Amino acid sequence: MAKLTIRAETTSFSHLLHYKNHKVSIFNTFSRPQRFNILPQNHILKLRVSCSITERQKEEAAEKEKIVNGLKVNGELAKNGRLISTSSYDANGDKEVDFEWSWPPWKNLPQRYKLIGTTSLAFVICNMDKVNLSVAIIPMSHQFGWNSSVAGLVQSSFFWGYALSQLPGGWLSKIFGGSRVLEVGVLVWSLATMLVPFLAGFMPALIFSRILVGIGEGVSPSAATDLIARTIPLEERSRAVSFVFGGLSFGSVTGLLLAPPLIQNYGWESVFYLFGFLGVAWFSGFQLVKEDRPWSFTEPMSWPPSFSRNKSLRSSLGELGTSIKDVPWKAFFRSTAVWAMIYTHFCGSWGHYTCLSWLPTYFSEELNLNLTEAAWVSVGPPLASILVTSIASQFADSLISKGVDTSLVRKICQSIAFLSPATCMILSSLDFGLPPWEVVTILTGGLALSSFALSGLYCTHQDISPEYASILLGITNTVGAVPGIVGVALTGYLLDTTHSWSISLFAPSIFFYLTGTIVWIAFASSKPQSFSEED
């Protein structure tokens, strides 16, 4: 007769089962019950199972245990930190099985992975709050009587704040750390997003709210770059950058999928309420993740001698002024590689921001799709970008790990990122009489391949100077935000004037993609530069 007893470590309960003429079997074997620990740290739930069996069954179980031990189950499970065998006999010769569970499930992940994961999630919300207006602008224009020029002005106002916050975001990230700057930025843009429905009827207030959204989102790239430069080694950097900034593509997909049904069922105001709330929820959750964040760096960093993260806010603000003066601005602008990054960032942003803002309208008006269809079609480029991003990052890191020159790898990736959309836009703008689905397919493929830039331009800031990576990105992103201000508004003006999507949307992007490729190949470099010594 077999007896099975289950006991809780912290409570007293048992369940006694009696079976006649049945053998104890686990997964069709007669192995002795093993003791396993699941996620041994911070035990919350522990169950102890003891089994008394007949002498003959013990002998059979002993034979099966030899097989289990031969497979090294105990050792293998112990290695993965989730299921560990720590079985032991009690006084009666029975073995005990302990199941221990801790929460949350990502608790045992390395801290740098948790920070990278939450940063990527912030970027998902970032682009959700960026594209919501691209879809909502259509019913808002109908409700408030806006023409294309006014709609372009409203959409471009986001980039005013985005441009203004780039350099301050870099400085603040260098002094206070990227994670602190990121959390404040998320909170600012989320609250400003929730204000849009209240301010939409008053144009100056609406523009101001979108400027605040731009300021909050504008500090995020520099904050993320600082975090990556501190915690991620070179051979993992392409994947880290791609994973974090790839959240932008996923955010575009999510926002474009959720916005149309929300607008149709609950009104255009709902997208601003919901997406803003998600940012506030992220801010609350991030407080838990960052509690044990590391302050050790993968590469040497130069910091003001007197700087300490334990200083008071007043002392840290005092250090900020000194740190800004210590930035080697002259050395930055004497570097041809920095100028190549600046112009390339400008060119890439022109194509990206104008398409992000105007593609839903293009699909709706030029291809005669309704709001839902236009939004679904607009999902194509960012959705395909998610796949391309993973391929590009693996491709770049693989080449670097095999000894290929880093500068050459960055040039290859960035050239693909520019020449692909330029070619596809040329095909779309020419009058070949292509049906709408073919135009959509061509544009989707070209814009998706532009994600190779995450393994090109966007890695170069960390490559040439981990110490000043956040400030360098602040410089290039400031210039890169100008197309959001000028390009988005100019596209609306040209559309009202020429009534041609080829001239207003595609032609300027093609020009900047081609010239940006030439400049990048000629002058870009990922060779580390010690700017402090040069200045």
Side-chain angles (χ1 to χ4, degrees):
M1 179 180 294
K3 181 178 69 176
L4 177 65
T5 304
I6 303 175
R7 299 193 304 272
E9 286 289 308
T10 56
T11 61
S12 58
F13 69 89
S14 64
H15 183 62
L16 189 62
L17 300 177
H18 295 274
Y19 299 92
K20 292 185 178 180
N21 302 322
H22 287 282
K23 296 179 180 180
V24 177
S25 174
I26 299 177
F27 300 115
N28 297 324
T29 70
F30 294 100
S31 61
R32 287 175 179 252
Q34 302 291 316
R35 175 175 173 172
F36 299 94
N37 292 336
I38 303 175
L39 293 173
Q41 291 82 6
N42 298 324
H43 306 159
I44 295 179
L45 177 63
K46 180 184 290 187
L47 298 178
R48 177 173 294 171
V49 181
S50 63
C51 182
S52 298
I53 57 179
T54 64
E55 194 64 26
R56 182 167 175 270
Q57 289 172 328
K58 287 184 177 181
E59 293 176 358
E60 292 174 342
E63 292 297 320
K64 297 297 181 180
E65 185 178 17
K66 292 180 181 178
I67 298 175
V68 174
N69 290 338
L71 294 174
K72 298 182 179 179
V73 173
N74 296 346
E76 290 301 319
L77 295 176
K79 289 179 181 178
N80 63 23
R82 292 181 179 273
L83 195 60
I84 303 175
S85 174
T86 57
S87 60
S88 61
Y89 287 97
D90 59 17
N92 298 322
D94 299 327
K95 284 192 176 182
E96 297 176 342
V97 182
D98 281 8
F99 296 94
E100 299 167 5
W101 181 259
S102 74
W103 185 265
W106 57 82
K107 185 173 183 61
N108 292 329
L109 283 176
Q111 183 66 12
R112 72 178 187 275
Y113 293 160
K114 288 190 281 188
L115 290 174
I116 292 298
T118 50
T119 302
S120 181
L121 181 59
F123 276 45
V124 171
I125 301 172
C126 173
N127 253 31
M128 289 177 66
D129 288 330
K130 191 181 296 181
V131 303
N132 56 8
L133 186 61
S134 300
V135 180
I137 197 70
I138 299 174
M140 291 174 71
S141 296
H142 294 160
Q143 179 177 335
F144 296 106
W146 299 338
N147 59 23
S148 297
S149 297
V150 175
L153 176 65
V154 173
Q155 294 193 83
S156 67
S157 60
F158 164 88
F159 297 98
W160 303 353
Y162 193 78
L164 290 173
S165 60
Q166 293 301 314
L167 282 176
W171 298 331
L172 294 171
S173 296
K174 187 177 186 300
I175 296 299
F176 298 106
S179 61
R180 294 182 181 179
V181 175
L182 178 64
E183 62 181 311
V184 174
V186 173
L187 184 62
V188 169
W189 92 55
S190 299
L191 294 176
T193 296
M194 298 176 74
L195 289 175
V196 169
F198 299 101
L199 306 176
F202 184 52
M203 184 60 66
L206 174 62
I207 290 177
F208 178 71
S209 69
R210 293 301 293 176
I211 291 175
L212 286 179
V213 174
I215 290 174
E217 295 194 11
V219 302
S220 302
S222 294
T225 299
D226 174 84
L227 190 150
I228 293 171
R230 293 182 183 217
T231 59
I232 305 299
L234 175 62
E235 59 271 15
E236 297 180 9
R237 194 164 290 159
S238 296
R239 281 168 288 178
V241 172
S242 297
F243 185 75
V244 170
F245 286 87
L248 296 174
S249 296
F250 191 80
S252 297
V253 172
T254 305
L256 291 171
L257 288 177
L258 291 179
L262 286 172
I263 291 174
Q264 290 181 341
N265 291 300
Y266 304 104
W268 59 264
E269 299 89 348
S270 61
V271 295
F272 297 101
Y273 292 140
L274 177 60
F275 294 0
F277 171 78
L278 292 177
V280 176
W282 180 95
F283 174 84
S284 300
F286 189 67
Q287 307 308 309
L288 302 176
V289 174
K290 71 168 188 174
E291 284 179 355
D292 56 341
R293 65 174 177 242
W295 285 85
S296 59
F297 306 108
T298 57
E299 299 186 44
M301 307 281 286
S302 298
W303 296 87
S306 58
F307 178 76
S308 170
R309 67 185 179 95
N310 294 320
K311 284 190 174 183
S312 65
L313 177 61
R314 180 180 300 177
S315 178
S316 296
L317 290 174
E319 296 283 354
L320 177 60
T322 303
S323 177
I324 294 175
K325 296 178 182 179
D326 293 338
V327 174
W329 302 105
K330 292 181 180 179
F332 289 160
F333 293 109
R334 285 201 303 263
S335 171
T336 56
V338 171
W339 281 107
M341 289 192 299
I342 291 173
Y343 184 70
T344 303
H345 205 143
F346 177 92
C347 295
S349 295
W350 189 286
H352 176 72
Y353 290 141
T354 54
C355 288
L356 185 68
S357 298
W358 286 104
L359 271 185
T361 306
Y362 167 76
F363 291 139
S364 177
E365 296 183 359
E366 184 71 6
L367 303 184
N368 298 317
L369 304 178
N370 60 37
L371 177 64
T372 302
E373 293 171 338
W376 273 91
V377 170
S378 300
V379 165
L383 184 61
S385 294
I386 297 174
L387 175 62
V388 172
T389 296
S390 62
I391 296 174
S393 60
Q394 296 286 347
F395 170 74
D397 282 345
S398 176
L399 291 179
I400 293 174
S401 64
K402 292 178 181 178
V404 180
D405 181 65
T406 305
S407 296
L408 178 60
V409 173
R410 304 305 184 207
K411 289 183 179 182
I412 292 172
C413 291
Q414 192 61 40
S415 297
I416 295 173
F418 274 6
L419 295 179
S420 299
T423 302
C424 293
M425 286 183 179
I426 291 173
L427 295 176
S428 300
S429 60
L430 296 178
D431 188 11
F432 290 130
L434 298 176
W437 68 268
E438 290 186 5
V439 175
V440 169
T441 302
I442 291 172
L443 286 175
T444 297
L447 294 175
L449 289 172
S450 67
S451 295
F452 265 85
L454 295 179
S455 297
L457 167 67
Y458 284 87
C459 288
T460 310
H461 307 80
Q462 297 97 309
D463 291 341
I464 66 174
S465 179
E467 178 182 357
Y468 294 108
S470 61
I471 296 180
L472 287 172
L473 184 63
I475 294 173
T476 64
N477 227 11
T478 298
V479 179
V482 173
I485 301 172
V486 178
V488 174
L490 181 62
T491 300
Y493 173 78
L494 290 175
L495 187 59
D496 279 339
T497 304
T498 65
H499 303 287
S500 170
W501 285 98
S502 297
I503 295 176
S504 59
L505 180 60
F506 295 133
S509 297
I510 293 170
F511 171 80
F512 288 119
Y513 278 138
L514 295 179
T515 57
T517 302
I518 295 172
V519 170
W520 184 258
I521 292 175
F523 302 107
S525 173
S526 290
K527 181 180 179 181
Q529 300 186 30
S530 180
F531 293 109
S532 297
E533 295 178 2
E534 291 179 21
D535 198 13

